[in-house]
Amino acid sequence: KAGVTQTPRYLIKTRGQQVTLSCSPISGHRSVSWYQQTPGQGLQFLFEYFSETQRNKGNFPGRFSGRQFSNSRSEMNVSTLELGDSALYLCASSLAGAGDTGELFFGEGSRLTVL
Amino acid sequence: AQSVTQLGSHVSVSEGALVLLRCNYSSSVPPYLFWYVQYPNQGLQLLLKYTSAATLVKGINGFEAEFKKSETSFHLTKPSAHMSDAAEYFCAVKSGNNNDMRFGAGTRLTVKP
């Protein structure tokens, strides 16, 4: 069974640009979560999508957005990039469900560098 | 809202010594607790999880953790450290009525020969 796949793995952008990251969850998983990981702030929750709906959201500005498609694949977008957006963006999938005790399965991440 | 606190951002042990990584949680409802490991330039891999069954949970690579409600703790241990255990370890909490998982700041484990 294929794991969580994130593309691209590495990318470099300049301030003011926008970026779109993609995540393909494990087959059968309906929930996709996104995290930002930086040395200073650690792992911070961005948002979670389930059945094409954003179900949970962390404390990030509106420049950070996402969506989920009917096949559970998800994208996140960051507009008007700032230097502080440089980070490893991790996607994780899980089977589903509020109340589900299931763990998250993580991809290897997309490392974004903003110059 | 749930949260976890990991005590010690860096832990260094000698090969063969006991590994103890500390995690305390805060949750208004019975929590689900997890330990993940991250190797350089990789995503997170689940070591073990507590979901209100046995309080002593055994995971992969010889790790285990004990849920102590009275101490709101979920410390990770391994009797004998191996060089390959060097990595960053994250404790995480998820409440039953909410599917977002919150992580601690992480503990970097160094294993000395």
Side-chain angles (χ1 to χ4, degrees), chain A residues 47-107:
Chain A
F47 28 64
E48 183 230 357
Y49 286 86
F50 176 74
S51 292
E52 302 180 62
T53 301
Q54 186 181 87
R55 190 164 58 175
N56 294 295
K57 189 177 189 303
N59 296 322
F60 277 81
R63 300 185 298 106
F64 292 82
S65 63
R67 59 178 175 168
Q68 186 181 33
F69 302 95
S70 58
N71 61 358
S72 293
R73 189 177 70 85
S74 177
E75 290 181 347
M76 67 163 284
N77 184 78
V78 187
S79 62
T80 320
L81 284 166
E82 301 176 359
L83 295 179
D85 297 333
S86 295
L88 180 67
Y89 290 88
L90 291 164
C91 167
S93 72
S94 67
L95 275 170
D100 178 22
T101 63
E103 66 268 29
L104 299 182
F105 294 82
F106 283 83

Side-chain angles (χ1 to χ4, degrees), chain B:
Chain B
Q2 69 271 25
S3 66
V4 290
T5 301
Q6 291 184 241
L7 301 176
S9 58
H10 290 88
V11 170
S12 181
V13 300
S14 297
E15 192 172 20
L18 171 72
V19 175
L20 171 61
L21 305 182
R22 301 178 187 273
C23 172
N24 287 89
Y25 70 90
S26 172
S27 177
S28 58
V29 297
Y32 302 117
L33 294 160
F34 307 81
W35 275 99
Y36 281 84
V37 61
Q38 185 179 34
Y39 298 100
N41 297 315
Q42 294 187 23
L44 279 67
Q45 178 185 1
L46 180 73
L47 278 177
L48 49 81
K49 65 179 179 181
Y50 166 76
T51 58
S52 75
T55 56
L56 181 62
V57 181
K58 294 188 184 298
I60 62 171
N61 301 339
F63 284 93
E64 63 182 37
E66 185 172 9
F67 173 72
K68 292 187 176 180
K69 185 177 179 180
S70 61
E71 299 177 7
T72 61
S73 69
F74 190 58
H75 302 330
L76 181 71
T77 60
K78 181 174 180 177
S80 177
H82 191 271
M83 297 296 291
S84 61
D85 294 327
E88 185 138 25
Y89 292 79
F90 294 91
C91 182
V93 62
K94 185 170 77 167
S95 295
N97 60 352
N98 191 323
N99 202 37
D100 81 77
M101 188 178 290
R102 301 300 171 124
F103 288 83
T107 298
R108 183 167 298 279
L109 176 67
T110 301
V111 182
K112 299 174 291 185

Side-chain angles (χ1 to χ4, degrees), chain A residues 35-38 41-45 90 106, chain B residues 44 90 103-104:
Chain A
Y35 290 82
Q36 182 196 64
Q37 185 177 26
T38 59
Q41 300 297 319
L43 275 159
Q44 292 191 288
F45 174 72
L90 291 164
F106 283 83
Chain B
L44 279 67
F90 294 91
F103 288 83

